[in-house]
Amino acid sequence: VIKCKAAVAWEAGKPLSIEEVEVAPPKAHEVRIKIVATAVCHTDAYTLSGADPEGCFPVILGHEGAGIVESVGEGVTKVKKGDTVIPLYIPQCGECKFCQNPKTNLCQKIRITQGKGVMPDGTSRFTCKGKQIYHFMGTSTFSEYTVVADISVAKIDAAAPLDKVCLLGCGISTGYGAAVNTAKVEPGSTCAVFGLGGVGLAVIMGCKIAGASRIIGIDINKDKYAKAKEFGATECISPQESKKSIQEVLVEMTDGGVDYSFECIGNVGVMRAALEACHKGWGVSVIVGVAAAGQEISTRPFQLVTGRTWKGTAFGGWKSVDSVPKLVTEYMSKKIKVDEFVTHTLPFDKINEAFELMHSGK
């Protein structure tokens, strides 16, 4: 058993608490990882807020991390002690019907136990003050050591800077893949990206790499426009600037609508606007943001009858074990940006400040 520091969420709506936790050794087909760096994501904040129907407390959150394998359980063959790895919230077992289908990346092998906050055998590897602590998204990167299933880990280039590539565990991969895998943006196309946070910037990057000729960034926070343009946005607009709806503005700006739109916020009203900003006949809108539990999307069916397509994406459509090492290689060879997404680097005990910075749009 390893004793280490972790940020524990004891209950919903309260700040995280830095505690000493015990991390049990890995069982069969499990891997214990020393986490070197982790990022914070809106999904962690969503669960912490209490709005997540799958949220269990007390829990160790975190799902964008990178580290070094400390030890492996019986039967683990893909990684060994000392390997550099990224934990994966969408695993890839290679055996289930989802893994065997090229149309999806949603491995279902451990989905039920992962959703319940436990390891595949139904138990937790974390304890604190004599209490069992739940796992989160199969990763729990807000701990100096964590245990994950062996299908939930990708071995990456040992030379990669872990304080940067941890972002490939969720946000950057999700946005970039939404553009290149889910939408399959084509050269010369016009794109609209709603929400210019980390995921939105990654979508812009993907659209640019795919050869889009016009990329319109949309956000009510104008402080985000300069960064969006660095990533490839050709122009940025605010929905608050016009009396008309944002979809009407975009349809006028683009002679009938955009070829591809992306919703990167998790707001069902914006999801509708993104679809309706698409061009009749061929426009494709991709939902990337995660809306709160129980919310529903709506539009007039005629929007779809007249040739628009509404799609969704999880982790950018990447089959995780296969793709994450390749994304790290693309970053190392400067094909994709990663460093530019990092705005602040904080010590672990300032994790609550990181959430405050995220909520304030900084």
Side-chain angles (χ1 to χ4, degrees):
V1 175
I2 288 177
K3 289 187 176 180
C4 68
K5 281 197 298 185
V8 177
W10 288 107
E11 54 185 300
K14 295 280 170 69
L16 302 179
S17 175
I18 301 290
E19 305 279 4
E20 183 181 78
V21 299
E22 295 85 41
V23 185
K27 293 188 182 177
H29 295 288
E30 295 176 4
V31 179
R32 186 159 63 181
I33 303 166
K34 179 186 201 303
I35 297 289
V36 175
T38 185
V40 297
C41 172
H42 279 283
T43 311
D44 304 305
Y46 166 63
T47 299
L48 185 58
S49 74
D52 182 354
E54 273 195 346
C56 320
F57 295 88
V59 64
I60 295 172
L61 300 169
H63 63 283
E64 284 185 329
I68 311 290
V69 174
E70 178 274 333
S71 59
V72 299
E74 192 185 326
V76 175
T77 56
K78 300 268 175 70
V79 294
K80 62 185 185 306
K81 183 179 176 169
D83 282 350
T84 304
V85 293
I86 290 177
L88 306 167
Y89 71 89
I90 293 181
Q92 187 186 348
C93 71
E95 295 163 358
C96 70
K97 68 179 179 181
F98 286 77
C99 280
Q100 292 187 349
N101 190 323
K103 295 178 180 176
T104 186
N105 63 328
L106 297 175
C107 172
Q108 296 295 291
K109 179 99 183 260
I110 60 172
R111 178 71 196 92
I112 291 167
T113 48
Q114 182 173 316
K116 289 177 178 168
V118 290
M119 294 300 288
D121 73 346
T123 63
S124 168
R125 301 292 163 268
F126 297 119
T127 50
C128 180
K129 298 178 179 171
K131 286 187 180 162
Q132 174 184 287
I133 309 290
Y134 287 108
H135 294 249
F136 178 66
M137 289 176 75
T139 53
S140 289
T141 60
F142 293 172
S143 174
E144 291 178 325
Y145 288 86
T146 189
V147 179
V148 304
D150 63 352
I151 59 171
S152 302
V153 65
K155 181 182 172 181
I156 61 161
D157 183 343
L162 300 186
D163 61 334
K164 305 293 192 295
V165 295
C166 61
L167 290 165
L168 294 170
C170 178
I172 298 178
S173 306
T174 297
Y176 176 45
V180 299
N181 296 331
T182 309
K184 296 185 168 59
V185 171
E186 295 153 325
S189 53
T190 298
C191 303
V193 181
F194 292 76
L196 301 177
V199 173
L201 294 175
V203 171
I204 289 172
M205 176 174 78
C207 292
K208 185 181 178 184
I209 288 170
S213 58
R214 194 171 176 193
I215 304 167
I216 305 163
I218 300 125
D219 203 298
I220 56 176
N221 182 351
K222 294 184 179 179
D223 295 342
K224 297 192 169 184
Y225 294 177
K227 195 82 163 170
K229 286 177 178 168
E230 277 175 46
F231 277 86
T234 51
E235 62 224 278
C236 294
I237 57 173
S238 167
Q240 297 172 335
E241 272 172 6
S242 170
K243 289 200 169 78
K244 293 179 179 169
S245 70
I246 187 68
Q247 50 268 55
E248 286 177 277
V249 171
L250 285 162
V251 166
E252 281 176 18
M253 280 173 70
T254 57
D255 184 29
V258 298
D259 302 313
Y260 300 97
S261 70
F262 302 85
E263 197 279 353
C264 307
I265 301 160
N267 177 309
V268 292
V270 178
M271 291 172 189
R272 177 173 190 159
L275 176 80
E276 295 177 359
C278 281
H279 203 289
K280 182 191 285 188
W282 63 76
V284 174
S285 185
V286 181
I287 295 174
V288 192
V290 178
Q295 296 197 325
E296 298 182 350
I297 49 172
S298 60
T299 189
R300 289 179 300 119
F302 198 66
Q303 292 284 336
L304 301 174
V305 171
T306 50
R308 294 171 193 81
T309 303
W310 219 345
K311 302 179 90 168
T313 188
F315 196 54
W318 301 106
K319 290 206 183 253
S320 59
V321 173
D322 293 342
S323 303
V324 168
K326 293 176 185 165
L327 290 167
V328 170
T329 303
E330 285 193 8
Y331 157 65
M332 300 290 276
S333 61
K334 297 191 163 46
K335 185 189 170 190
I336 60 171
K337 293 177 162 59
V338 174
D339 296 13
E340 293 82 356
F341 286 88
V342 179
T343 55
H344 299 75
T345 303
L346 298 164
F348 188 30
D349 55 11
K350 297 251 176 89
I351 190 163
N352 288 308
E353 282 182 34
F355 277 94
E356 285 162 23
L357 287 162
M358 182 171 67
H359 287 309
S360 66
K362 291 178 178 162

